[in-house]
């Protein structure tokens, strides 16, 4: 969809709308900041062979590189970087670099999008959204106008009306929004609506990252990612960020993976904001502790098999003085145990459970990147899970399920 542009820099330019099929094709992205962080998930989902050129990145972009979703060249731009490319996205804060990349793209006839100057680009990134199997892309030359039209169309598709709802502005305050386990379709309707109204979004690495691409361009996105055993934003800094922006008159959405109150430190953020005198809205999210097992066919409870399930943080393992878990009691329970943040501690946890009475042949399932395109399930027992996790190179995030329910689907077959 395109429309006459009210934006001065693009006045008189009429784009030709087209959908690019980039699977396996080389795409070069210059810059590793917020713009790249927003645009990369869609390129990854398209299956592009992405080469990111930037001396540094946000933690979320680094996590994409660490996961092998793109190739990160840790340096500045060099002439020749666009060779054999099909598409380029320029998102650096250096106008000279942006101009040089545009010039190379023009020479090589590579379509090039620029975040700093749409009038100097040969391609525009549309405001895009998704509903079911439909992708909605809007081009107007004015990013805010495009985003507004996109929102109206996508909202209409979702509620069946195809009519724009009147925009209702929120006053200053904070919303703690649970984004669900990873699939962007699993955020609640209320969470998605609040996200669309945000002035500032403070997001986690595990929050549904595709939703960031749907935000209007004026929305400030603050990366509060915590990479396991790597870069992170301290909780005190996150609290200050929420408070400072809300007190500046902004509506702030704290977008979290899963549910804010299930090992999400939502309670800490709620207390900090309320003590600062700020109104806070809490939107529950679908917790990975139940949704990820469900996604691979594991019910955490099953009639005649278990009457309870226990969700345990494995962030600190048995024997650690900081642990608040009664592992002996957990071992003696007959129900399902669901472990979060436990990948690197699973050997010690499994040994402790067996030591305290749980059978060594108890079934275990490890589900990595649950509900996302990268989801995979690995099966083991308490006796073998440590070696299996190491052999399969399992990395966080992963949910570990312990109990007879692991085999329910297999038994049904």
């Amino acid at each position: 969809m395109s429309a006459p542009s009210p934006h001065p820099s693009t006045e008189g330019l009429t784009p030709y709308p087209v959908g690019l099929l980039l699977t396996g094709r080389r795409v070069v992205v210059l810059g590793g900041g917020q713009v790249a962080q927003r645009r990369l998930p869609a390129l990854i989902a398209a299956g592009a062979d992405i080469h990111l050129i930037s001396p540094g990145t946000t933690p979320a972009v680094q996590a994409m590189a660490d996961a092998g979703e793109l190739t990160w060249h840790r340096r500045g731009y060099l002439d020749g970087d666009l060779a054999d490319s099909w598409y380029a996205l320029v998102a650096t804060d250096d106008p000279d670099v942006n101009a040089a990349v545009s010039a190379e793209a023009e020479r090589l006839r590579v379509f090039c999008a620029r975040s700093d100057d749409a009038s100097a680009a040969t391609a525009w990134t549309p405001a895009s959204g998704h509903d079911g199997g439909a992708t909605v892309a809007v081009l107007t030359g004015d990013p805010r106008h495009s985003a507004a039209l996109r929102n109206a169309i996508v909202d209409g598709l979702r509620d069946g009306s195809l009519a724009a709802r009147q925009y209702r502005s929120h006053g200053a305050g904070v919303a703690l929004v649970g984004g669900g386990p990873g699939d962007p379709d699993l955020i609640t309707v209320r969470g998605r609506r609040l996200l669309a109204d945000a002035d500032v979004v403070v997001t986690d690495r595990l929050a549904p990252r595709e939703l960031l691409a749907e935000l209007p361009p004026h929305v400030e996105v603050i990366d509060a990612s915590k990479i396991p055993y790597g870069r992170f934003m301290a909780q005190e800094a996150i609290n200050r960020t929420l408070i400072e922006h809300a007190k500046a008159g902004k509506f702030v959405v704290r977008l979290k993976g899963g549910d804010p109150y299930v090992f999400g430190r939502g309670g800490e953020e709620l207390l900090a904001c309320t003590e600062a005198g700020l109104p806070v809205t809490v939107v529950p999210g679908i917790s990975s502790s139940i949704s990820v097992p469900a996604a691979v066919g594991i019910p955490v409870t099953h009639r005649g098999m278990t009457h309870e399930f226990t969700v345990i943080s494995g962030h600190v393992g048995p024997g650690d003085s900081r642990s608040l878990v009664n592992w002996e009691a957990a071992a003696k329970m007959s129900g399902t145990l669901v472990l979060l943040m436990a990948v690197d501690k699973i050997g010690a946890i499994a040994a402790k459970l067996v030591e305290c009475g749980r059978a060594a042949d108890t079934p275990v399932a490890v589900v990595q990147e649950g509900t996302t395109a990268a989801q995979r399930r690995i099966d083991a027992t308490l006796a073998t899970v440590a070696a299996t996790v190491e052999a399969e190179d399992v990395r966080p995030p992963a949910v570990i399920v312990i109990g007879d329910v692991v085999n329910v689907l297999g038994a049904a077959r």
Side-chain angles (χ1 to χ4, degrees), residues 232-411:
F232 69 97
M233 186 175 183
Q235 187 61 49
E236 293 75 13
I238 295 174
N239 295 348
R240 285 197 303 272
T241 298
L242 299 176
I243 293 167
E244 288 170 1
H245 284 281
K247 284 193 170 183
K250 305 288 184 65
F251 178 57
V252 184
V253 169
R254 174 71 169 107
L255 182 62
K256 309 173 78 68
D259 181 273
Y261 287 173
V262 181
F263 304 132
R265 298 190 175 182
E268 296 176 45
E269 292 167 359
L270 174 69
L271 288 172
C273 291
T274 54
E275 287 172 1
L278 296 170
V280 181
T281 300
V282 179
V283 181
I286 301 175
S287 173
S288 62
S289 62
I290 55 174
S291 57
V292 167
V296 295
I298 300 174
V300 293
T301 64
H302 193 68
R303 186 170 58 167
M305 184 173 290
T306 176
H307 289 175
E308 81 277 341
F309 71 97
T310 304
V311 182
I312 300 174
S313 168
H315 184 62
V316 292
D320 192 309
S321 60
R322 298 169 296 168
S323 176
L324 302 176
V325 178
N326 186 334
W327 293 105
E328 182 173 358
K332 288 179 167 33
M333 295 178 70
S334 60
T336 306
L337 301 181
V338 180
L339 307 180
L340 305 183
M341 302 177 289
V343 170
D344 72 314
K345 304 293 193 308
I346 187 57
I349 291 172
K352 185 66 174 179
L353 291 173
V354 172
E355 175 190 328
C356 294
R358 197 80 173 219
D361 62 354
T362 300
V364 178
V366 182
V367 187
Q368 181 177 339
E369 302 280 0
T371 78
T372 74
Q375 172 181 293
R376 65 170 177 149
R377 169 179 171 171
I378 296 99
D379 286 89
T381 65
L382 281 178
T384 63
V385 65
T388 301
V389 163
E390 182 176 359
E392 294 289 339
D393 194 26
V394 176
R395 299 181 182 182
V399 174
I400 301 174
V401 187
I402 301 171
D404 292 338
V405 293
V406 165
N407 292 330
V408 164
L409 188 61

Side-chain angles (χ1 to χ4, degrees), residues 26-402:
R26 180 183 174 93
V27 171
V28 176
V29 178
L30 279 298
Q34 284 191 16
V35 174
Q37 182 176 324
R38 293 190 192 194
R39 302 305 178 202
L40 283 167
L43 291 171
I44 292 169
D49 175 21
I50 304 167
H51 290 260
L52 175 73
I53 298 172
S54 179
T57 68
T58 67
V61 172
Q62 180 188 333
M64 298 177 202
D66 290 344
E69 294 177 311
L70 55 86
T71 301
W72 177 18
H73 304 273
R74 305 187 186 205
R75 57 171 174 79
Y77 163 75
L78 297 174
D79 186 55
D81 278 338
L82 300 190
D84 300 322
S85 297
W86 291 72
Y87 180 70
L89 172 62
V90 184
T92 82
D93 56 6
D94 187 331
D96 293 334
V97 168
N98 297 345
V101 177
S102 291
E104 181 183 355
E106 190 73 18
R107 291 196 310 272
L108 298 178
R109 298 186 179 183
V110 175
F111 282 104
C112 179
R114 284 181 59 165
S115 63
D116 64 331
D117 187 355
S119 65
T122 54
W124 293 350
T125 302
S128 61
H130 304 275
D131 180 71
T135 297
V136 174
V138 180
L139 291 168
T140 67
D142 181 340
R144 293 195 182 201
H145 189 202
S146 297
L149 286 172
R150 183 273 320 278
N151 288 345
I153 296 167
V154 172
D155 285 350
L157 287 171
R158 287 174 182 155
D159 65 20
S161 68
L162 281 177
R165 293 193 297 266
Q166 184 178 357
Y167 180 81
R168 293 191 292 269
S169 178
H170 291 266
V174 176
L176 305 179
V177 175
D183 183 336
D185 286 341
L186 295 180
I187 189 174
T188 63
V189 172
R190 188 180 189 195
R192 197 156 197 159
R193 288 175 179 167
L194 291 177
L195 188 63
D197 288 347
D199 299 307
V200 178
V201 175
V202 181
T203 183
D204 276 349
R205 182 178 72 94
L206 299 182
R209 60 192 185 186
E210 291 89 346
L211 297 177
L212 300 179
E214 298 183 13
L215 297 173
H218 69 277
V219 177
E220 181 178 0
V221 178
I222 297 172
D223 186 0
S225 297
K226 293 181 174 69
I227 297 177
Y229 315 107
R231 295 164 62 178
F232 69 97
M233 186 175 183
Q235 187 61 49
E236 293 75 13
I238 295 174
N239 295 348
R240 285 197 303 272
T241 298
L242 299 176
I243 293 167
E244 288 170 1
H245 284 281
K247 284 193 170 183
K250 305 288 184 65
F251 178 57
V252 184
V253 169
R254 174 71 169 107
L255 182 62
K256 309 173 78 68
D259 181 273
Y261 287 173
V262 181
F263 304 132
R265 298 190 175 182
E268 296 176 45
E269 292 167 359
L270 174 69
L271 288 172
C273 291
T274 54
E275 287 172 1
L278 296 170
V280 181
T281 300
V282 179
V283 181
I286 301 175
S287 173
S288 62
S289 62
I290 55 174
S291 57
V292 167
V296 295
I298 300 174
V300 293
T301 64
H302 193 68
R303 186 170 58 167
M305 184 173 290
T306 176
H307 289 175
E308 81 277 341
F309 71 97
T310 304
V311 182
I312 300 174
S313 168
H315 184 62
V316 292
D320 192 309
S321 60
R322 298 169 296 168
S323 176
L324 302 176
V325 178
N326 186 334
W327 293 105
E328 182 173 358
K332 288 179 167 33
M333 295 178 70
S334 60
T336 306
L337 301 181
V338 180
L339 307 180
L340 305 183
M341 302 177 289
V343 170
D344 72 314
K345 304 293 193 308
I346 187 57
I349 291 172
K352 185 66 174 179
L353 291 173
V354 172
E355 175 190 328
C356 294
R358 197 80 173 219
D361 62 354
T362 300
V364 178
V366 182
V367 187
Q368 181 177 339
E369 302 280 0
T371 78
T372 74
Q375 172 181 293
R376 65 170 177 149
R377 169 179 171 171
I378 296 99
D379 286 89
T381 65
L382 281 178
T384 63
V385 65
T388 301
V389 163
E390 182 176 359
E392 294 289 339
D393 194 26
V394 176
R395 299 181 182 182
V399 174
I400 301 174
V401 187
I402 301 171

